[in-house]
Amino acid sequence: MFGAFCPATGEAFTHPSPGRGGAPWVDFLDRVETWIPRTTKRVSAIMDNLGSHRTTDVLLFLLAHRRWEMVFQPKDAAYLNLIEPWWKILRSLALAGRRFETWDEITDAIHCSTVYWNAHRHPFVWGRRRRHRPRRAPGVALLPRAA
């Protein structure tokens, strides 16, 4: 399964693939090219270091689509790519607690979950974490101050 994610809008795109080679990857990039609005001037694709992301076919794709830029993340730094937390959400929406008999059932579940996500999407902000309140010391609570 290949996926693309736009953190600014939260919109996602998934597409099943017969394999992880160079040809299926370029086919996916072509599909993403049609998914991204024409008004977008620059596409920065954050990539992991899979070999199929660096094939001659990918270089030819980049020559044909000048608005694309491939940014390769450092090894062991998946946390730098905002699609990784989205994959976790997608797995929980589509796959958690379910049993599938066929590949078609899996792709249908992922497609339905992607449609659901896009209907309820929100922007992702990298690095913003939920603030936790510090633990209170055990004992008597503080009384409110009188004016």
Side-chain angles (χ1 to χ4, degrees):
M1 188 63 64
F2 289 131
F5 183 69
C6 180
T9 63
E11 191 173 6
F13 176 78
T14 55
H15 182 71
S17 172
R20 293 176 16 158
W25 177 243
V26 172
D27 176 58
F28 174 71
L29 292 176
D30 282 330
R31 292 172 189 273
V32 173
E33 173 65 20
T34 60
W35 173 67
I36 296 172
R38 291 274 176 218
T39 56
T40 304
K41 291 182 175 36
R42 194 80 177 143
V43 177
S44 296
I46 302 172
M47 316 294 290
D48 60 13
N49 291 290
L50 190 62
S52 62
H53 295 165
R54 298 174 183 262
T55 63
T56 305
D57 291 340
V58 175
L59 293 175
L60 293 172
F61 173 86
L62 292 173
L63 286 173
H65 301 89
R66 294 292 188 168
R67 69 180 182 156
W68 282 72
E69 170 190 24
M70 300 289 182
V71 179
F72 291 93
Q73 67 190 26
K75 292 184 183 207
D76 300 324
Y79 61 90
L80 294 175
N81 194 344
L82 279 178
I83 200 168
E84 297 300 335
W86 183 79
W87 279 122
K88 183 179 178 182
I89 293 168
L90 182 69
R91 280 192 301 272
S92 69
L93 287 173
L95 308 176
R98 298 179 66 187
R99 184 175 173 184
F100 301 98
E101 299 292 328
T102 65
W103 173 248
D104 290 336
E105 290 177 0
I106 295 171
T107 59
D108 288 343
I110 291 174
H111 173 73
C112 291
S113 296
T114 304
V115 169
Y116 175 83
W117 170 264
N118 285 332
H120 301 90
R121 70 179 184 258
H122 57 83
F124 268 51
V125 179
W126 186 81
R128 182 172 47 169
R129 296 182 183 199
R130 188 173 40 180
R131 288 190 164 176
H132 296 284
R133 289 184 178 183
R135 279 189 166 219
R136 289 190 335 202
V140 177
L142 293 174
L143 298 173
R145 290 186 177 182

